Amino acid sequence: MFKTISDPADCEVRSVIRFLNAKKIKPAEIHRQFVEIYGENDGMVRKWVRQFNDGRTNDHDEARSGRASVVNDGLVAKVNEKIRENRRFTIRMLFDEFSQISKTVLHEIVTNRLNYRKLRSRWVPKMLTDVHKTK
């Protein structure tokens, strides 16, 4: 029995498919070997074998254009400035100030980029010192 590999990288899986395809192993046999080693996969073996047979040589994802992010350092600084003016803010109050940004993105900025969390009714930095805790 072989050791199973959990959560492989996509490019790793594609590299193995490309290697086995170059050895002229049929897609059904490649799929059987994948299930044996990687566990159940998403059934993309035939698609990738077809692409490699059509001449594809790169096993990494191609660059895709995505939606441009509205979050930049200037915006984060402005949000942080508003928070420092009034620590008892709500995301809705921030939304009134920055209506061009969704509430979800504002919450992400506050929690992930600025590392604030709610403590009672105030937003505070996550890393509190002993002095902050006693106040």
Side-chain angles (χ1 to χ4, degrees):
M1 187 69 186
F2 300 107
K3 180 181 176 187
T4 60
I5 299 172
S6 62
D7 199 26
D10 290 340
C11 61
E12 173 189 354
V13 170
R14 294 174 197 153
S15 296
V16 172
I17 292 171
R18 184 175 173 206
F19 173 77
L20 293 174
N21 184 49
K23 290 181 71 173
K24 303 293 184 202
I25 296 176
K26 295 183 186 286
E29 177 61 21
I30 295 172
H31 183 268
R32 188 193 64 71
Q33 290 181 23
F34 263 78
V35 171
E36 188 176 325
I37 299 296
Y38 293 107
E40 192 60 38
N41 68 353
D42 58 0
M44 299 297 285
V45 172
R46 283 193 174 88
K47 172 193 169 204
W48 283 102
V49 166
R50 194 175 319 114
Q51 286 189 13
F52 290 133
N53 287 338
D54 289 342
R56 182 175 176 147
T57 58
N58 186 4
D59 53 11
H60 294 283
D61 286 329
E62 294 172 349
R64 296 184 282 186
S65 63
R67 187 174 188 178
S69 176
V70 296
V71 180
N72 57 33
D73 292 335
L75 178 64
V76 172
K78 288 179 187 176
V79 170
N80 194 26
E81 191 177 303
K82 281 291 178 190
I83 292 171
R84 298 229 177 230
E85 287 176 13
N86 178 14
R87 285 285 180 86
R88 294 179 189 260
F89 73 94
T90 62
I91 299 296
R92 183 176 298 270
M93 290 168 58
L94 278 180
F95 180 69
D96 292 340
E97 294 288 328
F98 302 99
S99 59
Q100 72 275 15
I101 304 165
S102 71
K103 292 176 192 165
T104 306
V105 173
L106 283 171
H107 188 270
E108 182 181 318
I109 290 172
V110 170
T111 57
N112 295 342
R113 295 285 293 267
L114 296 174
N115 291 325
Y116 284 100
R117 66 184 178 94
K118 198 81 160 165
L119 182 66
R120 296 194 180 163
S121 64
R122 301 175 97 184
W123 286 87
V124 295
K126 279 188 179 177
M127 298 302 294
L128 293 177
T129 64
D130 289 333
V131 174
H132 287 121
K133 291 177 184 177
T134 57
K135 284 184 181 180

